[in-house]
């Protein structure tokens, strides 16, 4: 693949639909020829991600290149189809857009929104932990994005710092829908056999969406303390700590009681008792600390 340098200044965040618009109008398929390929942005399990620019519109994107043979070997083609199907239909400022995809003999290419400020994971490592304003702003934007997903019956199931990217204005972008599911289709296929299902499966939707809420509580803790709440040296100890909700708040860094209260209300064993996303957004700690623009600059 020929590389070229692509100036990042040519990112136009307001022009979001240009790539997709062209695609739809012409009714054509994308090919690699339509893009200039720039620097590698990162490595994924099944291939690499490159900065790229659509030649005609000059629109800058991230091109994720996946090798078909590796996808087949790991039997994840089905998962990838679902990821594409789900992510391409979501439109939210805090969800990474998937504009389209194409393939050739050996590879599948995903045309993704470019997140210029990279991984939240690295940012957290650099800062050790975030202050309360920053943490609350991130948690609020994630709660809004998840509320949007859940309304569309989509559950992400893999919310963690590695799957969060930072956009042009410092806003969080949920990426990586590889583990997500569309509950509606699953619930429909279950219709006939409902009589034999236990309560937690009958209430499948509540049960499953609560998984994303839980991970929001874990993230909130990790943003404020720099480590996830149930961390332990041994895998089996983490497991045990999660099962009995062994939640402890260290004396440092100093964290407000309001933040701890929110975390305690989310990390609840009974999934039906976890604070709903709407209530998280109304929690005093969020209301007081959320940056109303929903973005977070580097200088804070
Ligand atoms: P894994 O499952 O191991 O996380 P993956 O196959 O899901 O890998 P990604 O996480 O999507 O791959 O991408 C790998 C890396 O490339 C990311 O960690 C990130 O650093 C970078 N990257 C991916 N997509 C983008 C994007 N849209 N904008 C900027 N950087 C990106
Ligand atoms: Mg990933």
């Amino acid at each position: 693949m020929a590389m070229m340098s692509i100036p990042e200044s040519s990112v136009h965040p307001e022009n979001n639909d240009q790539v997709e618009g062209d695609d739809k109008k012409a009714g054509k398929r994308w090919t690699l020829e339509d893009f200039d390929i720039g620097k590698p942005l990162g490595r994924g399990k099944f291939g690499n991600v490159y900065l790229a620019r659509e030649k005609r519109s000059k629109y800058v994107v991230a091109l994720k290149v996946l090798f078909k043979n590796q996808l087949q070997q790991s039997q994840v083609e089905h998962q990838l189809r679902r990821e594409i199907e789900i992510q391409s239909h979501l439109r939210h400022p805090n969800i990474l857009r998937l504009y389209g995809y194409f393939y050739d003999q050996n590879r599948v290419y995903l045309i993704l929104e470019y997140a210029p400020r990279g991984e939240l994971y690295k940012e957290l490592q650099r800062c050790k932990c975030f202050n309360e304003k920053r943490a609350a702003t991130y948690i609020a934007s994630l709660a809004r994005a998840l509320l949007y997903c859940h309304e569309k019956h989509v559950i992400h199931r893999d919310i963690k710092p590695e799957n969060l990217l930072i956009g042009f204005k410092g806003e969080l972008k949920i990426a990586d829908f590889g583990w997500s599911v569309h509950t509606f289709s699953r619930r429909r296929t279950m219709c006939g056999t409902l009589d034999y299902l236990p309560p937690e499966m009958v209430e499948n939707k509540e049960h499953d969406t609560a998984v994303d809420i839980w991970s929001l509580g874990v993230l909130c803790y990790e943003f404020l303390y720099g480590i996830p709440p149930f961390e332990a040296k041994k895998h089996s100890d983490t497991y045990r700590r999660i099962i009995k909700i062994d939640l402890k708040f260290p004396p440092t860094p100093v964290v407000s009681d309001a933040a701890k209260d929110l975390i305690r209300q989310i990390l609840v064993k009974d999934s039906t008792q976890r604070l709903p996303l709407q209530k998280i957004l109304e929690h005093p700690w969020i209301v007081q600390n959320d940056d109303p623009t929903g973005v977070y600059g580097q200088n804070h």
Side-chain angles (χ1 to χ4, degrees):
M1 222 182 279
M3 294 252 193
M4 65 170 295
S5 102
I6 295 172
E8 301 197 9
S9 56
S10 47
V11 184
H12 307 293
E14 285 78 29
N15 250 350
N16 261 349
D17 287 324
Q18 203 167 346
V19 173
E20 185 199 53
D22 283 350
D23 191 16
K24 288 240 172 89
K25 251 178 271 158
K28 61 154 187 154
R29 286 219 157 272
W30 293 106
T31 74
L32 198 51
E33 302 299 304
D34 294 316
F35 297 89
D36 293 320
I37 306 298
K39 67 173 182 186
L41 294 170
R43 293 180 75 88
K45 264 193 231 75
F46 304 104
N48 294 336
V49 182
Y50 298 91
L51 189 66
R53 185 175 56 193
E54 203 273 312
K55 285 178 185 166
R56 232 153 46 92
S57 64
K58 299 226 165 44
Y59 191 78
V60 171
V61 295
L63 202 62
K64 185 164 168 175
V65 184
L66 306 148
F67 288 93
K68 280 184 184 172
N69 57 0
Q70 290 176 30
L71 295 168
Q72 274 156 6
Q73 266 162 29
S74 312
Q75 301 183 304
V76 290
E77 301 118 293
H78 180 76
Q79 204 172 311
L80 177 65
R81 264 195 209 104
R82 192 155 62 185
E83 180 175 358
I84 292 172
E85 175 64 26
I86 289 176
Q87 202 175 347
S88 63
H89 285 99
L90 300 175
R91 305 284 146 91
H92 190 277
N94 300 109
I95 297 173
L96 195 79
R97 278 288 302 274
L98 173 63
Y99 297 113
Y101 73 99
F102 57 94
Y103 49 86
D104 55 28
Q105 196 167 7
N106 299 318
R107 294 173 284 210
V108 180
Y109 304 83
L110 304 187
I111 311 170
L112 292 162
E113 175 185 0
Y114 171 48
R117 296 204 198 171
E119 296 172 37
L120 182 74
Y121 175 72
K122 292 215 179 106
E123 191 57 15
L124 187 58
Q125 270 188 335
R126 192 178 68 83
C127 303
K128 298 281 187 290
C129 51
F130 300 143
N131 66 34
E132 302 208 8
K133 270 210 140 2
R134 187 171 188 180
T137 301
Y138 285 160
I139 294 299
S141 56
L142 288 172
R144 281 185 220 104
L146 288 172
L147 208 52
Y148 169 86
C149 288
H150 293 177
E151 272 164 14
K152 291 189 166 294
H153 308 282
V154 169
I155 306 165
H156 188 282
R157 302 201 294 185
D158 198 22
I159 298 289
K160 55 185 179 188
E162 292 89 333
N163 289 336
L164 301 173
L165 297 174
I166 308 177
F168 189 70
K169 301 171 191 161
E171 74 279 30
L172 272 202
K173 302 271 181 186
I174 303 181
D176 214 335
F177 278 73
W179 286 105
S180 64
V181 281
H182 200 257
T183 52
F184 192 57
S185 54
R186 194 142 55 103
R187 282 163 76 219
R188 282 217 313 209
T189 60
M190 274 180 178
C191 276
T193 56
L194 211 59
D195 282 332
Y196 302 92
L197 293 175
E200 70 270 22
M201 288 191 75
V202 174
E203 294 191 316
N204 182 261
K205 192 178 156 251
E206 278 72 27
H207 172 76
D208 270 351
T209 52
V211 170
D212 285 342
I213 299 179
W214 172 273
S215 46
L216 218 49
V218 174
L219 268 186
C220 189
Y221 187 106
E222 187 171 359
F223 287 168
L224 294 167
Y225 289 99
I227 47 163
F230 306 113
E231 196 176 64
K233 285 207 183 71
K234 283 197 306 203
H235 196 75
S236 57
D237 287 338
T238 304
Y239 182 82
R240 191 184 44 79
R241 291 193 64 195
I242 294 172
I243 295 299
K244 59 171 209 181
I245 322 276
D246 180 18
L247 181 63
K248 294 191 188 102
F249 297 102
T252 55
V254 177
V255 167
S256 69
D257 288 337
K260 290 182 212 169
D261 176 74
L262 176 62
I263 293 167
R264 276 199 207 94
Q265 289 198 61
I266 297 175
L267 297 180
V268 173
K269 176 123 179 169
D270 178 354
S271 64
T272 65
Q273 298 303 306
R274 286 174 205 149
L275 200 64
L277 292 169
Q278 191 56 53
K279 288 272 186 326
I280 292 176
L281 288 168
E282 292 163 12
H283 189 277
W285 182 69
I286 294 288
V287 173
Q288 277 159 31
N289 291 291
D290 177 24
D291 178 341
T293 58
V295 300
Y296 209 90
Q298 250 163 355
N299 305 326
H300 294 250

